Amino acid sequence: MSSSPRFDRGHTDDLMAFLMASPSPYHAVASAAARLEKAGFRQVEETAAWDGTTGGRYVLRGGAIVAWYVPEGAGAHTPFRIVGAHTDSPNLRVKPLPDSGAYGWRQIAVEIYGGTLLNTWLDRDLGLAGRISLRDGSDRLVSIDRPLLRVPQLAVHLDRSSNTDGLKLDRQKHMQPIWGLGDVEEGDLIRFVAEEAGVDAEDITGWDLMPHPVEPPSYLGRDRELVAGPRMDNLLSVHAATAALAAVAGQPDAELPYIPVMAAFDHEENGSQSDTGADGPLLGSVLERSVFARGGGYEDRARAFAGTVCLSSDTGHAIHPNYAERHDPTHHPVVNGGPILKVNVNMRYSTDGAGRSVFAAACEKAGVPWQTFVSNNAMPCGTTIGPITAARHGIKTVDIGVAILSMHSARELCGADDPYLLANALAAFLTG
């Protein structure tokens, strides 16, 4: 059995830096790519011809990245070990005609992306980030990482029932951020973004922009045993997968019986159905082209896929001390208890008994504890990229992750040890 790299609390420190550097899916893949470049990986274009030589490579497409390392001596039929994750998080997204306002307030028109907890975006200092598309066909990342926007909550004096009957928010009327005073001017936001990006506003022909909390991640608790921060669902997994793949690529090639892969997709929070989502062709195309570049044919592709295993890594629910009745009575994942195995017999998660064995072996090899998550039977179960990956590619897939609180909040909470415990388990899995 081959050895695997080890991570410690320094990995959690780096996660916090990764979260700050990744206010949008496009920034997240750029952050991941930069880390892989330092480990010797090189970007390949989908429009170029690929070769089958050894080494690390990655493909970028929008808010998605697929990276892989071909060890010396890998055959055309060598199976893959894949860690899957997603780069998007529930949030607010700027509309095509963003300039809005009323009664002397200038506002930004936004849509609600995914199943975000709306109240967590109220009275929060927000920046603006994403990408702009230019007339020449190029894209440019933009990050305005300072207090710019705010969604103001109605004062309790004007809504006396909010603390008794619950806060009720209209997604259209109540979630539009303010960003200044004065009359509404068409094109004002994009002119502002252009100035921040150092381009002419007339050259911006498209944009994918989103507000983000500017408060940095922080350690929390008496002994700093917790971490609070944005976008942990699911950049925590993207960061762990990137770190694990980069570290594994530094291992002796003789210790890699598989081709390790990291696939981080966009649009998981709204169904994964896009060219950069897990339900699109990106992963299958990359894996097949890797086989063919090493001289393989359809038979080699079938053999490689048959021996491939994917860990779909996404956050899960830690037991909530104030709402314990919402959890399964016998499954209580705790923070800092190690990664969780996510199980649902109706295949909302793709784990089965054989997959459980693969995950257990990786955790045992890494020397990390692990837990099991099952939903309360009376509660609808969420889902992940796991079942999509298994069904689309015929690849054995196991759903895992890290237990957190405040999932889908603008600011989530995890244990300070769990990020590096997950990274250790992923590295052990990738090395076989």
Side-chain angles (χ1 to χ4, degrees):
M1 180 178 289
S2 60
S3 61
S4 60
R6 301 288 299 178
F7 300 96
D8 56 20
R9 182 64 77 88
H11 173 88
T12 304
D13 294 336
D14 190 62
L15 166 64
M16 296 164 74
F18 185 84
L19 293 174
M20 279 298 291
S22 308
S24 77
Y26 316 108
H27 289 81
V29 299
S31 299
R35 283 165 163 73
L36 292 172
E37 288 275 349
K38 289 183 180 179
F41 284 68
R42 295 295 176 261
Q43 182 178 1
V44 293
E45 300 292 339
E46 292 186 83
T47 55
W50 294 3
D51 64 55
T53 55
T54 61
R57 297 169 179 80
Y58 66 90
V59 166
L60 295 180
R61 184 192 289 184
I65 180 172
V66 180
W68 66 103
Y69 179 81
V70 180
E72 187 74 37
H77 61 272
T78 299
F80 301 92
R81 280 286 175 103
I82 306 167
V83 177
H86 67 88
T87 62
D88 59 318
S89 301
N91 62 3
L92 312 178
R93 302 287 176 103
V94 175
K95 288 183 175 181
L97 299 176
D99 300 294
S100 179
Y103 303 105
W105 294 100
R106 299 166 78 181
Q107 294 176 277
I108 303 300
V110 297
E111 285 188 273
I112 311 301
Y113 178 83
T116 187
L117 285 170
L118 297 179
N119 65 294
T120 66
W121 289 84
L122 302 178
D123 296 333
R124 213 177 264 282
D125 294 340
L126 305 173
L128 191 68
R131 68 177 179 182
I132 52 176
S133 298
L134 304 181
R135 194 174 302 279
D136 63 5
S138 64
D139 293 325
R140 183 172 299 191
L141 297 182
V142 177
S143 181
I144 304 169
D145 196 32
R146 66 178 187 271
L148 179 69
L149 310 170
R150 184 181 179 93
V151 183
Q153 186 170 349
L154 186 63
V156 69
H157 313 79
L158 304 178
D159 187 10
R160 295 288 185 180
S161 64
S162 61
N163 286 330
T164 55
D165 299 338
L167 179 65
K168 296 179 175 60
L169 294 171
D170 184 288
R171 294 162 65 92
Q172 177 62 39
K173 295 192 298 183
H174 300 153
M175 297 305 298
Q176 309 307 309
I178 60 172
W179 76 305
L181 300 173
D183 297 330
V184 177
E185 297 182 26
E186 184 177 351
D188 196 29
L189 177 67
I190 298 307
R191 284 192 292 270
F192 172 78
V193 170
E195 183 177 349
E196 291 286 324
V199 302
D200 291 333
E202 293 75 15
D203 288 335
I204 298 178
T205 55
W207 54 86
D208 300 280
L209 299 170
M210 56 205 74
H212 66 277
V214 297
E215 182 184 3
S218 61
Y219 284 105
L220 184 106
R222 186 192 66 180
D223 299 316
R224 293 166 57 87
E225 66 267 46
L226 302 169
V227 173
R231 300 177 295 279
M232 290 183 181
D233 179 10
N234 187 33
L235 294 189
L236 188 157
S237 294
V238 174
H239 175 257
T242 302
L245 179 61
V248 164
Q251 297 286 98
D253 282 0
E255 297 187 4
L256 294 176
Y258 302 96
I259 295 174
V261 180
M262 184 268 286
F265 302 100
D266 201 354
H267 302 130
E268 188 273 348
E269 297 293 355
N270 62 9
S272 295
Q273 292 186 321
S274 71
D275 68 320
T276 54
D279 204 18
L282 180 58
L283 176 60
S285 174
V286 168
L287 299 183
E288 288 179 346
R289 291 185 68 177
S290 176
V291 170
F292 300 153
R294 283 175 279 121
Y298 181 81
E299 183 70 13
D300 297 293
R301 180 259 188 216
R303 293 174 65 187
F305 277 42
T308 292
V309 182
C310 173
L311 292 188
S312 164
S313 183
D314 203 346
T315 55
H317 302 294
I319 182 73
H320 197 302
N322 297 338
Y323 300 92
E325 73 281 358
R326 302 295 181 97
H327 298 264
D328 182 84
T330 58
H331 295 78
H332 294 162
V334 296
V335 298
N336 288 333
I340 57 174
L341 180 74
K342 301 162 79 171
V343 178
N344 178 263
V345 295
N346 294 301
M347 288 293 105
R348 300 289 287 172
Y349 303 131
S350 55
T351 305
D352 62 10
R356 173 190 173 104
S357 295
V358 172
F359 178 66
C363 290
E364 181 178 354
K365 177 182 174 182
V368 303
W370 60 280
Q371 312 172 80
T372 303
F373 171 81
V374 178
S375 289
N376 185 310
N377 288 343
M379 301 282 175
C381 178
T383 190
T384 68
I385 65 167
I388 294 170
T389 302
R392 181 170 182 83
H393 306 294
I395 291 172
K396 177 172 286 299
T397 305
V398 188
D399 272 295
I400 67 160
V402 162
I404 69 171
L405 291 181
S406 305
M407 186 184 294
H408 287 197
S409 169
R411 193 169 177 86
E412 297 163 321
L413 185 72
C414 77
D417 296 338
D418 284 328
Y420 71 81
L421 293 176
L422 173 66
N424 284 332
L426 297 184
F429 166 74
L430 290 175
T431 56

